[in-house]
Amino acid sequence: MTRVVLAPDSFKGTISAADAAKALAEGWATVDQTVEFVHRPMADGGEGTVAAFAAAVPGARRMPVTVEGPAGEAVDTSWLLLPPTPDAPAGTAVIDLASTSGIEMLKELRPWDADTTGLGQAMVAALDHGVSRLVVGIGSSASTDGGTGMLTALGARFFDAAGLPVARGARGLEDIVAVDLTELRRAPDVRVLTDVTNPLIGVRGATAVFGPQKGLDSAAEIARIDDALRNLAELLDIDPATPGTGAAGGTGAALVVWGGVLSPGAAEVATLIGASEAIAGADVVVTGEGSYDGQSGDGKVPSFLASIASRHRVPAVLAAGRITADADTALFAHSVSLTDLAGSSEAALAEPGRWLRDAGAALARATAS
């Protein structure tokens, strides 16, 4: 009997990791009915991180909270409380930026005004509960505010030349001349899950690489915010070249200032759910994400799992919403794009479950040949 491990990430904004795994299995089974499927839905710190922990940890409880979303509106969301452990006797809180300040929460992009206040408010709720540890996933950010919204919710204050609080979001970054951290909440053990290693500033920094995705549409705008982040790094006394500080529009840097430790998100989640152990006993690993592109080889779920599979001499195959021209698929024995199967990205986005089933069937045929 063939043992197939199904470990996709979520297909951002269209289908969860768990539902993607289910659809892939359904499609695969139309080709081979003798398969044993092992479901290990994944996340890397972005969308679906809380869900991955909730599915993996017995006794985990969702804790409702209302926060200010990236557009400033009230958003009902939740953080996850994990049971006590010897190294976290009051429990661990898992919070993801995607469900508090994430880009998928916006009806339209707000590159200058979206911020991370909601993430900070969820963190405050967990701190008020008394947890021993915070695990914070910071993928899928809507803003480039340097984490100032989050830090403000935690008690920091940012002032302009007149001594007044600056505006929220990237709009206020340029005006910051002074920072007051005296009322900043004390950090517990804080682990920060991120899927990128970008520095805060420069050609690989938060603004240059990710700003266009968040609505910055000119080189002049990118340069302005990059300069503002450079100034913020000086005020917060952090090295802007530190890998991962550019994650989530600079929220990685803010969390390091607060005392957080940056960790590869995919590796942390994979350890929790026993992905390596499952892969070691498999005949094939199926993974995937919404867009497999030139950045996907840098710590994201598919490439990370493919590296695990390679160590165990197990072939890995890929199903992605789209596979861009700059993507390196050499890690995979076979790969398939939902966009190619559906004929257009619009069709693939409209019915991801349908095309994931087709992808599962296509990968089963390719693997069997």
Side-chain angles (χ1 to χ4, degrees):
M1 177 176 288
T2 303
R3 192 166 191 256
V4 177
V5 171
L6 298 157
D9 198 352
S10 65
F11 284 55
K12 188 176 294 186
T14 61
I15 190 168
S16 70
D19 287 342
K22 180 181 177 182
L24 286 164
E26 290 172 351
W28 195 291
T30 63
V31 176
D32 184 356
Q33 292 80 39
T34 65
V35 176
E36 175 192 359
F37 292 112
V38 178
H39 290 250
R40 291 292 186 272
M42 278 286 295
D44 57 14
E47 182 183 52
T49 297
V50 164
F53 277 84
V57 181
R61 289 192 292 141
R62 286 188 179 267
M63 308 294 286
V65 64
T66 300
V67 304
E68 295 176 48
E73 80 289 8
V75 172
D76 292 327
T77 183
S78 63
W79 56 278
L80 189 71
L81 178 62
L82 305 185
T85 58
D87 58 348
T92 294
V94 182
I95 302 166
D96 64 42
L97 185 152
S99 63
T100 55
S101 305
I103 195 167
E104 298 297 331
M105 301 170 70
L106 292 176
K107 295 179 181 178
E108 59 182 28
L109 298 177
R110 306 175 78 244
W112 288 94
D113 300 300
D115 78 337
T116 52
T117 297
L119 173 63
Q121 290 171 335
M123 292 163 65
V124 167
L127 293 174
D128 288 346
H129 189 81
V131 297
S132 302
R133 176 186 296 138
L134 290 180
V135 175
V136 186
I138 59 172
S140 306
S141 167
S143 65
T144 311
D145 74 342
T148 53
M150 178 200 71
L151 288 177
T152 299
L154 288 166
R157 295 187 293 174
F158 299 89
F159 300 105
D160 63 18
L164 299 174
V166 300
R168 288 164 58 161
R171 190 175 302 282
L173 281 180
E174 293 181 301
D175 299 325
I176 297 174
V177 299
V179 178
D180 180 358
L181 303 181
T182 57
E183 299 299 321
L184 187 64
R185 293 285 293 262
R186 183 177 178 180
D189 174 10
V190 183
R191 301 181 185 180
V192 184
L193 309 186
T194 176
D195 60 359
V196 301
T197 57
N198 300 70
L200 182 62
I201 60 174
V203 295
R204 293 191 62 251
T207 312
V209 175
F210 305 110
Q213 300 172 7
K214 298 168 187 179
L216 295 175
D217 56 10
S218 74
E221 288 183 329
I222 289 171
R224 284 172 58 188
I225 298 180
D226 193 65
D227 285 344
L229 288 173
R230 186 187 308 273
N231 176 62
L232 180 66
E234 292 179 1
L235 292 170
L236 294 177
D237 192 25
I238 184 172
D239 181 357
T242 303
T245 53
T251 303
L255 282 162
V256 169
V257 168
W258 193 48
V261 177
L262 300 176
S263 302
E268 290 283 343
V269 175
T271 298
L272 173 76
I273 67 174
S276 183
E277 294 83 354
I279 290 170
D283 295 295
V284 64
V285 178
V286 186
T287 187
E289 64 180 356
S291 177
Y292 192 80
D293 54 33
Q295 299 175 27
S296 294
D298 194 14
K300 292 183 180 287
V301 165
S303 60
F304 178 76
L305 290 181
S307 68
I308 293 178
S310 178
R311 290 199 298 271
H312 291 296
R313 300 184 184 278
V314 175
V317 297
L318 171 73
R322 64 168 185 161
I323 300 175
T324 64
D326 64 338
D328 181 3
T329 58
L331 290 168
F332 304 98
H334 305 285
S335 59
V336 62
S337 158
L338 306 194
T339 295
D340 290 345
L341 291 175
S344 70
S345 59
E346 293 77 14
L349 289 167
E351 297 182 280
R354 171 188 173 183
W355 299 111
L356 279 163
R357 286 188 286 274
D358 282 5
L363 291 170
R365 288 191 293 269
T367 302
S369 63

